[in-house]
Amino acid sequence: DAGVIQSPRHEVTEMGQEVTLRCKPISGHNSLFWYRQTMMRGLELLIYFNNNVPIDDSGMPEDRFSAKMPNASFSTLKIQPSEPRDSAVYFCASSGLRVYEQYFGPGTRLTVT
Amino acid sequence: AQSVAQPEDQVNVAEGNPLTVKCTYSVSGNPYLFWYVQYPNRGLQFLLKYITGDNLVKGSYGFEAEFNKSQTSFHLKKPSALVSDSALYFCAVAIYGGATNKLIFGTGTLLAVQP
């Protein structure tokens, strides 16, 4: 298996632009998690899905952030409009029956100027 | 609320020496505890977990962790450190119940192993 796939790996955009991050979980995994990592705040859980349904989005910072999982093999995290304080590394992770053993993707490094 | 604390931002150790990365937890009920490792420019990788049973848990790459209920600790250990162990280590606790199953991560401890 190729593991969790994220794209793009790097994204540089200007303030106010829409940003879409993509994730393909490991085949057969039914839970998917979006995290954000910064030096200041560490690793934060933004939202997670179980069987494509959003279960907990309490970590989503504000309405500018939205996430979807239209099917078991694809999820997106969208920021519209983006702001410089959104600059971070965004990780997607998935897990199967052993829910707590999460497999992380390589991350997307987002820079908003 | 469930939480973990990693009191050390960084741990320095010489290669070949034993290492310990500290973690304490605060949970209601029985804790599910985990260690993850993050190498530079990579996502986190699962190392080991404690759910129940033996207090000494063995994981990947020769790491182990000791669950201590009286001290509410779950320290990560390795008898002999390698330079390649240098990475960021995260302790985590599971929040579970009903439809909610997720991990809460600590702030991370940077382990630097000097040759």
Side-chain angles (χ1 to χ4, degrees), chain B residues 5 20 22-27 31 33 55 66-75 77:
Chain B
T20 299
K22 295 179 180 178
C23 173
T24 59
Y25 65 88
S26 175
V27 303
L33 297 163
N55 289 344
E66 186 171 10
F67 171 69
N68 188 316
K69 189 172 183 177
S70 62
Q71 297 185 6
T72 61
S73 67
F74 189 57
H75 300 332
K77 299 180 180 183

Side-chain angles (χ1 to χ4, degrees), chain A residues 1-7 21-34 49-53 68-77 91-96 101-106:
Chain A
D1 197 317
V4 175
I5 299 173
Q6 291 187 248
S7 64
L21 312 181
R22 297 172 176 80
C23 175
K24 177 179 169 54
I26 292 173
S27 178
H29 282 186
N30 60 352
S31 293
L32 183 139
F33 307 81
W34 281 102
F49 296 83
N50 191 44
N51 293 324
N52 313 336
V53 176
K68 294 182 179 180
M69 191 165 186
N71 57 61
S73 58
F74 184 67
S75 177
T76 59
L77 178 67
F91 288 103
C92 175
S94 69
S95 66
E101 292 184 27
Q102 297 181 14
Y103 292 79
F104 282 70

Side-chain angles (χ1 to χ4, degrees), chain A residues 29-83:
Chain A
H29 282 186
N30 60 352
S31 293
L32 183 139
F33 307 81
W34 281 102
Y35 292 90
R36 177 173 68 178
Q37 186 177 35
T38 61
M39 289 293 292
M40 291 296 294
R41 294 186 298 270
L43 191 66
E44 304 171 278
L45 176 65
L46 300 177
I47 185 171
Y48 86 91
F49 296 83
N50 191 44
N51 293 324
N52 313 336
V53 176
I55 301 300
D56 185 343
D57 64 355
S58 59
M60 295 287 263
E62 48 197 275
D63 292 344
R64 297 185 297 107
F65 286 69
S66 62
K68 294 182 179 180
M69 191 165 186
N71 57 61
S73 58
F74 184 67
S75 177
T76 59
L77 178 67
K78 185 176 294 185
I79 308 172
Q80 167 63 20
S82 59
E83 297 182 3

Side-chain angles (χ1 to χ4, degrees), chain B residues 2 8 20 22 27 34 50 89 100 102-103 105 112:
Chain B
Q2 320 280 52
E8 303 156 317
T20 299
K22 295 179 180 178
V27 303
F34 304 82
Y50 172 83
Y89 290 81
T100 298
K102 61 184 182 182
L103 291 174
F105 287 91

